[in-house]
Amino acid sequence: MDVSSIADATNNLIVYLATIIEIAHYTLVIYGVRNDWGELKARKQPVATWLMSIACCYGGGMVISVCVGKPALTPLSNNQSVLMMTIVWWHIFYSPKDGIYNLLSWKPAMLVIVLGKEMIRTRKIIKGVKLGRGAFPDSLLICTILGMFGACGGGFVKNAATFVRKQWNHETVKSIHLATVTKLSLLFSLLYNLQLLGILPISFNTVVLLQLTVMFLISASSKLGVNFDPFHRIEKIITSCVIDYSAYGGAGEEKSPQKKAGEEKSPEEKKDSLKKKE
């Protein structure tokens, strides 16, 4: 069986399991929301947890809807989908003795959920790309960004809500960074766009298979406590060449605050200072 056949079979499986992988998506997202809230606080504010779950589960679709000129709440028009999300929300937050939440803490169960989540992520990126191409057919950049929002928009909404509550300062800004999953979503969104433009010489389903394989391995490794960023070395090289210029002999390296203030002295300088005092 060649790669093309495997890619076609994978795509057909994703379509066949649409409802199951949608549940997996809701499960993983709401599990993350529950981790942020904690048990005691969540039980006191059920409406707030439900609204936050709505925002995180449908945030990407809402952002894309606004960008392509549709009502922001369009993703919520599917009553069956919202009901399904609500059932998952109740089980994760309020099931007796936290049975479902504790089950998801079991690594094998979580890996199955992650696989389903990565399956539906392929659909979400593709949907974002196609909606973007319908509204902005001449902009590769916008279509690529909308594909990324389709996959990670809920995370952006969640982080935006967090930063609204925080006071903006140096430490807050330092905490802003792109997750590896977001970078990969941006990359594969670009690949889908290039394939639709006829520039990428591989089939659409092959890109789907490649995305599912890579992103499942990265996400599963993260859940197992092994964090791996395939972009780290590339970013480091680019940064050293065009940002801080450290590739050219450290010309752009910043001095530490102590050295700037003259607080750090070499042993020879310290001896000279003592002699002068004497």
Side-chain angles (χ1 to χ4, degrees), residues 173-189:
V173 174
K174 280 174 62 178
S175 67
I176 300 175
H177 69 282
L178 282 181
T180 304
V181 170
T182 305
K183 299 174 189 176
L184 286 169
S185 298
L186 189 63
L187 171 63
F188 284 108
S189 179

Side-chain angles (χ1 to χ4, degrees), residues 164-218:
V164 165
R165 299 197 308 268
K166 287 185 176 181
Q167 181 180 359
W168 282 83
N169 52 40
H170 180 65
E171 293 300 322
T172 304
V173 174
K174 280 174 62 178
S175 67
I176 300 175
H177 69 282
L178 282 181
T180 304
V181 170
T182 305
K183 299 174 189 176
L184 286 169
S185 298
L186 189 63
L187 171 63
F188 284 108
S189 179
L190 175 62
L191 294 182
Y192 286 122
N193 274 288
L194 294 178
Q195 203 284 331
L196 290 173
L197 291 171
I199 299 174
L200 196 65
I202 59 176
S203 70
F204 205 80
N205 289 345
T206 302
V207 181
V208 171
L209 176 62
L210 180 62
Q211 178 195 335
L212 177 59
T213 303
V214 172
M215 296 196 72
F216 172 69
L217 290 175
I218 296 293

Side-chain angles (χ1 to χ4, degrees), residues 19-121:
T19 301
I20 295 175
I21 62 179
E22 186 177 359
I23 293 173
H25 163 66
Y26 296 146
T27 301
L28 194 61
V29 172
I30 297 173
Y31 179 79
V33 176
R34 166 64 196 275
N35 285 337
D36 291 339
W37 277 77
E39 181 181 0
L40 295 178
K41 186 177 179 181
R43 292 188 180 279
K44 293 178 181 179
Q45 303 183 38
V47 176
T49 63
W50 183 76
L51 290 174
M52 181 58 74
S53 298
I54 285 281
C56 292
C57 289
Y58 297 98
M62 292 178 180
V63 172
I64 293 174
S65 294
V66 172
C67 291
V68 300
K70 295 182 178 181
L73 299 181
T74 298
L76 301 181
S77 60
N78 187 332
N79 295 328
Q80 180 179 349
S81 176
V82 175
L83 176 61
M84 192 185 305
M85 189 283 307
T86 301
I87 293 172
V88 173
W89 160 79
W90 184 87
H91 278 88
I92 292 177
F93 271 93
Y94 308 114
S95 62
K97 297 184 179 180
D98 271 343
I100 300 300
Y101 178 77
N102 292 331
L103 175 62
L104 293 174
S105 301
W106 186 45
K107 292 292 174 60
M110 178 53 69
L111 291 180
V112 173
I113 298 298
V114 168
L115 178 59
K117 167 68 175 178
E118 295 309 327
M119 283 183 171
I120 200 171
R121 198 190 299 275

